Amino acid sequence: LLQLFRPLDVLGWVYRTIRQGLIDMAQMFRLIDTPVEVADLPGAPALLVRRPTVVFDNVRFGYDPDREILHGLSFEVPAGAQVAIVGPSGAGKSTIGRLLFRFYDPSSGRILIDGQDIRHVTQASLRQRIGIVPQDSVLFNDTIGYNIAYGRSGASDAEVMDAARGAAIDRFIAGLPQGLDTEVGERGLKLSGGEKQRVAIARTLLKDPPILLLDEATSALDTRTEQAILATLRNVSADRTSIAIAHRLSTIADADIINVLHEGRLEEQGTHAQLLRHDGLYADMWQRQAAEAIEPVLAAE
Ligand code: ATP
């Protein structure tokens, strides 16, 4: 009897394997479908930017249909203002950046730049108007000049050096054996975290976008480097609409508006002083981070 059932067993295994294969295929197609979701509308015009106000209007979004991450988020970034997004880990801060860059579309609600729904304009024009200074800048295995010029093809050496000056990395470059032609990256000169970030800032300056998205590094730079980079970023952000996604509050305390996000909802909003007076989540986070900054000093004593 056992002999008789063995082939059936094998058949069952084949059936299960094929079925699993179909499920995997379905998942694969869901992935492949993703870019289609954010395709340009036929005949979509380019984004027109004059004074770029950025508006999140009742935005709902989840990477997975059954797990919503942003639950009807609304906030505004006035033209030329510096707005920060803070909140505990997993609150949805980086997701806001990904939606603004249109890697995904909200499931409902709208994101407007200068009054235009970003779903109605070409992605190329949208991404051209937003400069990102990312957490961890990736450098190409090429010259430092190429790495900066990548911000705008066809830029002259003089323009590249101008951008380098704005990012305060010009003197570092001038001290390199081959200046702008020095090879950097895995196969060339290894740059420090701070230097890499300055290359990214120079690249962004060359691109000269009216909107800036600053995704703050989680890996801490030493305090002096961080303060110097912050000063540079402040100069770069002046006159631009900027959104800073921050993990450490010390870096955004002087923002015009601070949005405190908690579990995909806007929990508090205001300036640093207003939020401290409010004595809520922000004030809590501020005190905790201040205590963490003092701890190593106490431990050393
Ligand atoms: P952190 O401060 O830790 O960087 P965050 O506030 O930036 O956190 P997000 O990265 O926006 O948080 O993530 C919000 C939620 O979305 C998290 O629960 C995370 O697990 C989930 N998430 C993020 N990216 C994806 C993804 N690609 N697919 C599925 N879920 C994701």
Side-chain angles (χ1 to χ4, degrees):
L1 201 69
L2 212 67
Q3 293 283 332
L4 199 77
F5 274 105
R6 186 142 302 147
L8 285 180
D9 243 346
V10 171
L11 259 181
W13 176 80
V14 169
Y15 168 75
R16 281 193 301 276
T17 307
I18 291 176
R19 202 167 144 247
Q20 185 60 43
L22 286 177
I23 291 167
D24 291 346
M25 289 268 278
Q27 269 165 1
M28 197 169 87
F29 276 116
R30 258 228 317 259
L31 276 181
I32 294 171
D33 270 352
T34 316
V36 177
E37 246 179 73
V38 295
D40 286 353
L41 288 176
L47 175 72
L48 286 177
V49 176
R50 276 173 232 97
R51 291 184 48 73
T53 313
V54 177
V55 173
F56 272 62
D57 175 21
N58 205 11
V59 169
R60 289 182 176 275
F61 173 74
Y63 295 92
D64 221 307
D66 5 315
R67 187 172 164 237
E68 197 175 77
I69 302 288
L70 299 179
H71 313 288
L73 186 66
S74 297
F75 67 89
E76 186 176 331
V77 187
Q82 270 84 67
V83 168
I85 316 276
V86 303
S89 178
K93 303 182 292 292
S94 303
T95 302
I96 291 175
R98 290 179 203 129
L99 290 176
L100 181 65
F101 221 59
R102 217 181 153 214
F103 286 139
Y104 305 92
D105 279 335
S107 49
S108 70
R110 301 177 305 166
I111 300 169
L112 306 169
I113 295 180
D114 233 356
Q116 298 144 84
D117 190 323
I118 63 170
R119 274 175 303 200
H120 299 160
V121 297
T122 60
Q123 291 168 73
S125 66
L126 171 73
R127 291 177 189 163
Q128 213 245 320
R129 311 311 278 156
I130 305 174
I132 299 191
V133 180
Q135 294 200 347
D136 298 301
S137 316
V138 180
L139 293 189
F140 302 104
N141 276 316
D142 208 304
T143 64
I144 195 160
Y146 175 88
N147 270 285
I148 296 174
Y150 183 76
R152 198 179 80 220
S153 53
S156 68
D157 274 7
E159 288 169 318
V160 168
M161 276 317 280
D162 257 1
R165 205 165 302 121
I169 197 175
D170 52 324
R171 275 197 271 166
F172 170 80
I173 295 173
L176 293 176
Q178 285 160 293
L180 281 176
D181 296 327
T182 309
E183 294 279 331
V184 294
E186 286 299 304
R187 279 186 271 125
L189 184 72
K190 299 264 193 311
L191 299 189
S192 74
E195 288 153 2
K196 272 201 263 184
Q197 209 164 8
R198 287 191 186 282
V199 170
I201 295 171
R203 197 185 277 168
T204 307
L205 276 174
L206 204 55
K207 186 175 170 185
D208 195 20
I211 302 166
L212 266 187
L213 184 63
L214 311 173
D215 201 349
E216 182 202 74
T218 4
S219 49
L221 300 168
D222 66 81
T223 317
R224 251 187 67 211
T225 311
E226 183 177 283
Q227 287 308 320
I229 297 247
L230 276 178
T232 310
L233 280 177
R234 240 169 248 135
N235 283 340
V236 175
S237 309
D239 304 327
R240 291 190 166 93
T241 304
S242 91
I243 302 176
I245 292 163
H247 302 270
R248 271 158 302 137
L249 304 184
S250 56
T251 59
I252 52 82
D254 62 349
D256 297 314
I257 306 171
I258 301 169
N259 289 309
V260 186
L261 205 64
H262 185 224
E263 294 177 358
R265 288 189 174 83
L266 191 63
E267 179 134 331
E268 295 167 10
Q269 189 178 55
T271 61
H272 174 73
Q274 286 167 343
L275 290 170
L276 283 188
R277 273 200 302 277
H278 179 65
D279 203 17
L281 180 59
Y282 181 88
D284 249 23
M285 287 168 57
W286 179 259
Q287 274 143 23
R288 213 154 0 98
Q289 291 195 5
E292 277 165 21
I294 293 168
E295 248 164 45
V297 180
L298 290 179
E301 278 172 3

